[in-house]
Amino acid sequence: MKKSCCLILAGVLALAGCKSKEDAKVLNLFAWSEYIPQTVLDGFTAETGIKVNYETFSSGEEMLAKLLAGGVGYDIIQPPDYIAEVLIKEGELLPLDTAKLSGLDNILPEFRGMPHDPQDAYTVPYMTGSVGIVVNTERVTTPVKGFKDLFKPEHSGRIVVVDDGRELVVAALYTLGLGINDITPENIAAARPLLASWFPMIKLFDSDSPKTALLNGDVDLGYVWGGEAAILWDEDKKFQYILPEEGAHIFVDVVAIPAKAPHPDAAHAFISYLLRPEVSKLISDEFPYTNPNGAARKLLTEDQLANPGSYPKTELALDTFRHIGESGALIDELVTDLKNTSGQ
Amino acid sequence: MQTIGLPGTAAPHARKPGLWGWLLLAPMVLWLLLFVVVPTGILAVYSFCQRDDLGRVVFSFTWDNYVRVFDPIYLNILGRSVAYAGLTTIICVAVGYPVGWYIARRPAGLRNLLLLLVMIPFWTSFLIRTYAWIAILKNEGLLNGLLLSAGAITAPLELLYTPVAVVIGLVYAYLPFMILPVYGSAEKVDNALVEAAHDLGAGPVRAFSEVIIPLTLPGIAAGVLLVFVPAIGMFAITDLMGGARVPMIGNVIQNQFFKARNWPFGAALGVVFTLMFVFTYLAVQWHGRRSQR
């Protein structure tokens, strides 16, 4: 009882940004909602005695806003790659102390030295995933291989896409054969007519749970997160997932320690814990994204590895998103404008 | 109620509040200061600022955000939001007025029961109720199932993710805010006045338009404000039931603060939106005062 009082007190002190000796047994985790299984957090606390304060966000931008606003001293954050890139550039992350980490070798070579952190000095990949096309093969019998097949007049009103301007613009840039990280006024202007022809065919935009409309039968095709497609495939094999032939990218969600983290030791211990194959497997069991942990993949079932949503087969060289800074406003304006005109 | 004479200036109530009065008011004044005046001030300041590469607010003066607000795209979206909110308000008046009047004219016991029924939905989270509408309106949903099995339609109706669904959602969400103020006004209407109108030869239409409507106008005005203003800014319903296809001004503002990370532009939209609210309020007030003469 006394101990738990101490912990609560310590948590309050940590949240208030104060430093004291008592709070070494606390970890302030700031991560995506629906991304870290409770069993993993409980296991970490049981083993180390470190209490985890788990706060969630639902978009990388929201995380960035709260991190930069200061206040709460987060120990572990979980940014997507392109946000980690700018955080590194701005000196907002603590360089990892590899002497305090174990299990880094478990990360597959293709997920090391990625463009957002070429030296792997600040971040460790947590989960990765792709964005691709899912098709209800019971309702759609013609083959769908890419964006050109997805956005065909006969599919009008039967499509769900993620409500994410950048993903939609990138789909258009791939189709046009342009670089996905070159968000220039010229490229945006080139993407506009193509997107303008696509938008009226889209039945709904949903980033949070695009699988719902597919499961409900309200739509038959989608441009969705791989993890969502993996859950659909688990539900019913009629939902097939492919990476568009025009091009595809992966996103990498990493774990990192903010420069002002009050408990860097606990943060390192947590990262090592996540890197353990048996722990990483628990994450894959609950959230079927692409696991970058090679040792953990060996523990997965054949069915898990055969899931195209989690492990799509492709010949494509997959890109990653880079920080685009203020040109994001161009995307936002284009998408708002197109939604506005196609919704008349 | 406008016939009640104003208390004379010598009346004890007209005294200036003493220390004790201010003390009683203090929590409210503090609340208003902290949660209305200060945030509005921050919003106003931010709306003239710029953002940096990371989306942080940089305090250097610019008119750009306001110039952008008056870009045809955003004016168009604002216009559409007002149109949707207007349609919602009209439907709410048409549906809510008879309900409010009916409830007010029932005996006390029944009246309280009916009022309770109006308010019970508030016990459930608004988002959950919106998801319930998705279950009702979806292609393989309750409504289509019912109509199909009754033989009223042969193919499922496309309702969800259409403007119709948005209006259904808005009317559903705001109808109680029309019924309750109308009820409040209607309850105070003296039946003798309605009877007098009939005795003086007014038919039902004339009694309604010249006696009942003017007497319940304060309730209608309050209801219109409570429905129209929040309906303009609503974003959850357009996202969930409209499929995020047609942006409303609420969606655009929310986007600036989260996805686009352009707080100054979002703030400028917010300021313009707040001013619109103020003008609507003043217009209704002015209209109300004029019609009371």
Side-chain angles (χ1 to χ4, degrees):
Chain A
M1 183 64 208
K2 202 174 172 190
K3 194 179 164 197
S4 68
C5 277
C6 269
L7 281 178
I8 291 168
L9 187 67
V12 170
L13 287 176
L15 288 174
C18 299
K19 286 198 174 176
S20 81
K21 270 189 177 173
E22 316 295 321
D23 64 9
K25 287 282 183 192
V26 174
L27 179 83
N28 296 324
L29 171 65
F30 193 34
W32 291 90
S33 55
E34 302 280 309
Y35 214 15
I36 302 184
Q38 190 60 41
T39 47
V40 169
L41 302 181
D42 293 344
F44 178 70
T45 305
E47 192 176 302
T48 60
I50 297 172
K51 185 182 176 291
V52 180
N53 297 318
Y54 182 16
E55 192 180 328
T56 63
F57 55 83
S58 59
S59 78
E61 286 71 17
E62 182 191 340
M63 187 229 58
L64 190 58
K66 286 196 180 160
L67 179 73
L68 295 177
V72 183
Y74 298 117
D75 297 308
I76 291 273
I77 54 169
Q78 201 182 31
D81 43 10
Y82 64 98
I83 287 181
E85 179 183 357
V86 66
L87 287 174
I88 294 171
K89 199 179 90 189
E90 297 279 329
E92 296 283 346
L93 297 184
L94 191 75
L96 296 174
D97 184 349
T98 45
K100 289 183 192 161
L101 291 176
S102 57
L104 281 173
D105 301 344
N106 293 339
I107 299 295
L108 290 167
E110 62 260 43
F111 298 106
R112 291 194 211 160
M114 297 189 73
H116 60 270
D117 183 11
Q119 313 299 324
D120 286 326
Y122 298 90
T123 63
V124 173
Y126 175 78
M127 274 284 167
T128 78
S130 53
V131 189
I133 298 170
V134 65
V135 179
N136 178 342
T137 51
E138 256 171 36
R139 300 257 189 97
V140 179
T141 45
T142 52
V144 177
K145 289 184 177 150
F147 296 116
K148 288 199 182 89
D149 307 320
L150 175 62
F151 294 105
K152 278 201 294 200
E154 58 258 46
H155 297 154
S156 186
R158 299 162 66 191
I159 304 170
V160 57
V161 299
V162 290
D163 192 12
D164 184 311
R166 187 163 181 192
E167 294 291 356
L168 298 170
V169 168
V170 159
L173 293 177
Y174 272 133
T175 309
L176 296 166
L178 298 168
I180 64 161
N181 289 307
D182 301 331
I183 308 297
T184 58
E186 296 75 41
N187 284 355
I188 291 287
R192 174 182 281 268
L194 187 61
L195 283 170
S197 71
W198 289 356
F199 271 40
M201 300 185 207
I202 295 168
K203 174 123 182 185
L204 84 146
F205 298 82
D206 185 356
S207 284
D208 296 329
S209 183
K211 62 180 176 295
T212 309
L214 283 153
L215 277 174
N216 283 347
D218 284 317
V219 294
D220 304 323
L221 305 104
Y223 177 50
V224 303
W225 316 120
E228 291 275 306
I231 295 168
L232 284 170
W233 192 79
D234 262 347
E235 199 85 17
D236 193 328
K237 302 284 181 279
K238 72 181 177 188
F239 293 109
Q240 283 295 332
Y241 178 78
I242 54 129
L243 295 181
E245 61 184 358
E246 291 91 346
H249 68 93
I250 54 166
F251 55 84
V252 183
D253 291 315
V254 302
V255 282
I257 307 173
K260 293 173 202 141
H263 315 107
D265 285 341
H268 280 91
F270 187 71
I271 295 176
S272 299
Y273 188 77
L274 290 179
L275 281 167
R276 287 187 198 170
E278 64 278 13
V279 173
S280 188
K281 177 196 177 288
L282 289 176
I283 304 168
S284 272
D285 288 346
E286 199 152 336
F287 305 108
Y289 289 87
T290 313
N291 197 325
N293 188 320
R297 277 200 202 178
K298 291 194 183 119
L299 303 177
L300 298 180
T301 64
E302 252 171 56
D303 204 43
Q304 280 175 309
L305 290 170
N307 192 330
S310 313
Y311 303 98
K313 290 172 187 60
T314 178
E315 317 278 283
L316 297 169
L318 299 175
D319 302 297
T320 54
F321 275 6
R322 306 298 302 275
H323 175 64
I324 49 170
E326 285 177 39
S327 41
L330 295 172
I331 292 177
D332 180 58
E333 203 160 87
L334 173 68
V335 170
T336 308
D337 190 13
L338 289 176
K339 274 190 181 181
N340 188 29
T341 34
S342 67
Q344 297 291 340
Chain B
M1 81 203 80
Q2 55 270 42
T3 53
I4 297 169
L6 287 166
T9 42
H13 302 293
R15 269 189 307 154
K16 282 196 173 168
L19 181 67
W20 183 236
W22 281 115
L23 217 61
L24 283 174
L25 272 176
M28 187 63 192
V29 171
L30 201 68
W31 192 88
L32 283 175
L33 216 67
L34 273 178
F35 297 111
V36 179
V37 178
V38 173
T40 312
I42 294 174
L43 206 66
V45 171
Y46 275 9
S47 68
F48 292 103
C49 291
Q50 296 176 12
R51 53 159 290 183
D52 70 359
D53 194 40
L54 266 180
R56 280 177 290 211
V57 176
V58 180
F59 292 92
S60 65
F61 182 86
T62 175
W63 286 103
D64 287 355
N65 301 313
Y66 284 96
V67 173
R68 217 178 136 197
V69 168
F70 293 99
D71 183 294
I73 303 174
Y74 300 106
L75 288 182
N76 194 316
I77 293 173
L78 192 66
R80 182 186 308 109
S81 307
V82 170
Y84 270 81
L87 182 62
T88 303
T89 312
I90 291 168
I91 297 176
C92 280
V93 172
V95 177
Y97 189 90
V99 175
W101 176 263
Y102 177 84
I103 295 176
R105 302 280 108 185
R106 292 307 101 193
L110 184 58
R111 197 195 305 164
N112 288 338
L113 181 73
L114 291 173
L115 274 181
L116 188 71
L117 289 179
V118 172
M119 284 186 280
I120 276 179
F122 289 114
W123 297 356
T124 313
S125 150
F126 167 72
L127 281 179
I128 292 176
R129 286 183 282 135
T130 307
Y131 277 105
W133 271 106
I134 295 179
I136 294 171
L137 296 179
K138 68 186 183 186
N139 272 2
E140 293 162 13
L142 294 172
L143 182 65
N144 274 322
L146 187 73
L147 292 174
L148 281 172
S149 62
I153 50 171
T154 51
L157 297 173
E158 292 266 331
L159 285 171
L160 194 56
Y161 312 127
T162 64
V164 176
V166 174
V167 174
I168 291 177
L170 287 171
V171 169
Y172 168 76
Y174 292 113
L175 191 56
F177 297 99
M178 182 61 76
I179 295 177
L180 295 175
V182 167
Y183 162 82
S185 278
E187 198 211 356
K188 294 193 201 99
V189 173
D190 190 345
N191 234 357
L193 293 171
V194 183
E195 280 162 19
H198 287 306
D199 290 346
L200 292 169
V205 175
R206 204 158 164 219
F208 179 71
S209 65
E210 287 187 22
V211 178
I212 295 176
I213 288 277
L215 285 176
T216 50
L217 203 60
I220 300 174
V224 166
L225 269 183
L226 286 175
V227 173
F228 183 71
V229 176
I232 301 176
M234 169 56 82
F235 58 86
I237 287 176
T238 40
D239 268 358
L240 292 173
M241 292 177 71
R245 271 206 303 191
V246 186
M248 299 287 168
I249 201 69
N251 302 87
V252 175
I253 295 177
Q254 190 218 17
N255 245 345
Q256 300 312 318
F257 283 93
F258 286 97
K259 277 189 212 148
R261 300 248 317 122
N262 193 345
W263 288 17
F265 180 52
L269 284 166
V271 167
V272 172
F273 187 46
T274 310
L275 288 176
M276 252 185 57
F277 168 81
V278 171
F279 286 129
T280 314
Y281 181 75
L282 289 179
V284 171
Q285 284 287 309
W286 177 76
H287 187 80
R289 220 175 305 140
R290 209 181 51 153
S291 64
Q292 278 181 16
R293 265 181 213 152

